[in-house]
Amino acid sequence: MNILIVDDDPADVELTVEGLRGAKLAIAIDSVPDGEKALAYLRHEPPYQNSPRPDLVFLDLNMPRMDGRQVLERMKGDPALRSIPVVVLTTSAAETDIAQSYNLGANCYVTKPVDLDGFIKVIQSIEEFWLTVVKLPGDA
Amino acid sequence: MNLPVWIQRDFFRRFFIMLSLAILVACAWAALDTIQAYKRSETDTDKLQHRIYNISTLVGHLADMETGQRGYVMSGEKSFLEPYEAASTHIQETLRRLREQHEGDSDAMRELDTLSELVERKSDFLKMTIHMRASGRGQAAVELISSGEGQRTMDAIRGISARLEDADRALIAARAAELDRLSGRTLRLVLAGFAVSIVILLAVFVLFDREVVARRLALEKLSLYREELERSNQELEHFAYVASHDLQEPLRKIASFAQLLERKYRHLLDETGVRYVGYLVDGAHRMSDLINDLLMYSRAGRKSQPFAPVDLAVAVARVAQSLDVAVHEAGAMLDIGPLPVVRGDATQLSQVFQNLLTNALKFRSDRPPLVEVRAREHQDHWEFSVADNGIGISPEHREVIFRMFQRLHTREEYPGTGIGLALCKRIVNLHGGDIQVDSRPEGGSVFTFTVSKNPKERDQT
């Protein structure tokens, strides 16, 4: 299983990775720090020519250069990338952000819990749901 | 222009308007008075003219009689006696009228007495001469007439009548002159009065107008200031929200990684190290709580919904239910009396009761907590009380505890950031009331706060 984390905050990336540790399946995790690099990764453009196709994308909303909303728009507008499930994982709990994300085609929207335990629990349940419960396209 | 304060007083404005109206009324009265004087004078002049007429009529009659007499005595023609007869019947009537008209004037009456005598003498003389002629002594009659006696009497009569007429004429002239003077004075008075009252009215209205303009300008300025204040408040609100939101992020990092550090590297840390990490985490959590409370406090200052009727009985019952667990843990009893419906923000009012009830449970003494909630109606506000039998508050702290983040105990003794009561005070103030605490003689505290029956909403003021 391949997971791509799109988040500009390395600490948050590390926390997410920590949360995914102990997953039942073997997962390979990659991360990119902004939207431009995320699209390059997804399109296998340099320096990501050899990147795997992620089975799940964790997408933060507020990033420099190109933010999560724009990535979402482009992903869901691109027939080649449209089928990849996207979990919007962000600090914002604003109604406008939630509505907009779903409008742009996010598969689900999760607000990062404030405390460590809560955060870890949420990541684990996301992983459990999307990677073991749900059927993903391209499953053997 | 800065108007002296007294001009702005309504009383003085009204006073001056009344004054000018009074002047106008006085002018009208003076004019009416003069008109009446004219009418009176007309009547008087009429009377005087009548008198003059009667006097000349009398003389006329006598002249006619004389002519008749002369004619008859000369010619013996009876036809000459006709005017004589006619005139003589009128003499007495005229005299009588003259007496009537001169009533009250003693000088005139004396003259009239004399006149009457003379008239009688003349009449007798005429009668006598006519009689002489009629009885054949015509020559003697002529001689008598030529003696001039009749003539002399007639002259005397003319003299008196002339005097009477002149007197009356003089009276008429005097009256006319007096009237002229009076009307001239009245005219001047009325013109002056009009001028004065118009000036007063103009002054009042000009000044009043200035005052209205000044007031309107002040109101405009006020509303402009209010708009600016609103805008500045909104900006501040937004700033507070954004700041606190952005402050939470790094805190989360501190807390999360301190915990991760402790979990993953516990084996590398000694007891002191573990304790240090504990302080890190605790510090981060506390700061997070403070920021949240601060945000809540600032949001309470600006109500989110317009004021509406709030059924406090329902709201407080809900609050009590949410505290169910804490109540059971403390073995407490909540005694909530009847509560009214008030105007306000339901969420905020619930918050007040929540804070007070939570405090009552938190700061309990050895005895099982007993909390009483009561409401009392006053003319223009409601008074609520939350009384407990807890540890109480000493008098010197009564005011201080309502300040932001003010605590009376250490965090080990009792948890909390110390914002609860400051929040209550803010919300209560917003609803047009105030809050205070008193100690109960049997131990514990009673918090009393008031809620206005007609709280002024901020947007309305």
Side-chain angles (χ1 to χ4, degrees), chain B residues 32-320:
Chain B
L32 278 172
D33 188 56
T34 302
I35 289 176
Q36 278 193 314
Y38 262 101
K39 280 181 116 166
R40 269 196 308 271
S41 145
E42 219 173 74
T43 320
D44 286 349
T45 306
D46 246 7
K47 260 196 329 209
L48 289 169
Q49 298 281 25
H50 256 114
R51 280 201 329 212
I52 295 176
Y53 173 74
N54 281 331
I55 294 173
S56 51
T57 306
L58 182 69
V59 172
H61 286 327
L62 287 171
D64 286 346
M65 285 165 71
E66 207 178 51
T67 310
Q69 169 232 43
R70 295 245 170 92
Y72 178 66
V73 166
M74 292 283 176
S75 66
E77 290 281 342
K78 284 257 167 73
S79 63
F80 279 105
L81 288 179
E82 275 167 41
Y84 170 84
E85 302 287 340
S88 73
T89 52
H90 292 306
I91 295 267
Q92 288 309 318
E93 177 61 31
T94 309
L95 265 173
R96 192 191 60 76
R97 251 189 253 141
L98 276 172
R99 292 197 107 81
E100 246 176 45
Q101 288 175 330
H102 283 84
E103 206 173 306
D105 184 350
S106 46
D107 290 336
M109 291 308 265
R110 267 199 303 272
E111 297 264 43
L112 282 176
D113 286 342
T114 319
L115 189 65
S116 298
E117 274 177 36
L118 289 168
V119 165
E120 198 161 323
R121 203 188 303 168
K122 178 76 177 176
S123 298
D124 289 344
F125 182 78
L126 290 171
K127 227 188 286 183
M128 193 172 67
T129 51
I130 288 175
H131 183 63
M132 284 168 84
R133 182 60 163 92
S135 50
R137 289 186 288 151
Q139 192 58 37
V142 173
E143 272 171 25
L144 210 55
I145 292 174
S146 329
S147 76
E149 189 186 322
Q151 191 63 40
R152 277 195 295 280
T153 314
M154 198 61 181
D155 286 342
I157 290 175
R158 281 195 213 271
I160 294 181
S161 69
R163 270 206 300 284
L164 286 171
E165 266 184 56
D166 284 346
D168 280 349
R169 290 232 166 80
L171 263 175
I172 292 179
R175 292 274 163 87
E178 201 180 291
L179 206 60
D180 256 355
R181 259 201 318 276
L182 176 69
S183 63
R185 198 179 59 208
T186 303
L187 186 67
R188 278 194 301 277
L189 219 75
V190 166
L191 282 175
F194 260 88
V196 166
S197 82
I198 284 179
V199 163
I200 291 179
L201 282 175
L202 272 176
V204 165
F205 282 114
V206 162
L207 290 174
F208 177 54
D209 193 55
R210 285 233 189 109
E211 189 196 328
V212 163
V213 167
R215 238 184 245 172
R216 187 158 28 97
L217 277 174
L219 275 174
E220 275 178 22
K221 215 185 272 184
L222 189 70
S223 99
L224 213 77
Y225 282 157
R226 199 159 21 103
E227 268 179 39
E228 274 186 43
L229 193 68
E230 277 289 322
R231 214 180 310 137
S232 146
N233 277 344
Q234 268 182 354
E235 281 179 18
L236 218 65
E237 279 276 326
H238 183 66
F239 169 78
Y241 176 79
V242 166
S244 68
H245 191 259
D246 290 348
L247 286 171
Q248 294 284 20
E249 252 301 300
L251 280 175
R252 208 161 53 75
K253 298 294 193 305
I254 295 173
S256 303
F257 284 98
Q259 281 178 291
L260 265 180
L261 187 73
E262 192 220 26
R263 276 180 218 181
K264 295 175 80 169
Y265 296 97
R266 179 178 279 275
H267 58 283
L268 291 180
L269 290 171
D270 63 352
E271 206 179 282
T272 314
V274 169
R275 205 170 57 244
Y276 285 176
V277 168
Y279 292 150
L280 270 174
V281 174
D282 189 46
H285 281 157
R286 256 181 35 224
M287 180 136 182
S288 180
D289 284 345
L290 282 169
I291 291 177
N292 280 332
D293 283 349
L294 201 62
L295 198 63
M296 186 169 53
Y297 180 84
S298 86
R299 235 182 265 139
R302 181 156 183 70
K303 49 176 183 52
S304 43
Q305 315 134 294
F307 281 175
V310 177
D311 187 348
L312 285 177
V314 169
V316 173
R318 224 177 272 153
V319 166

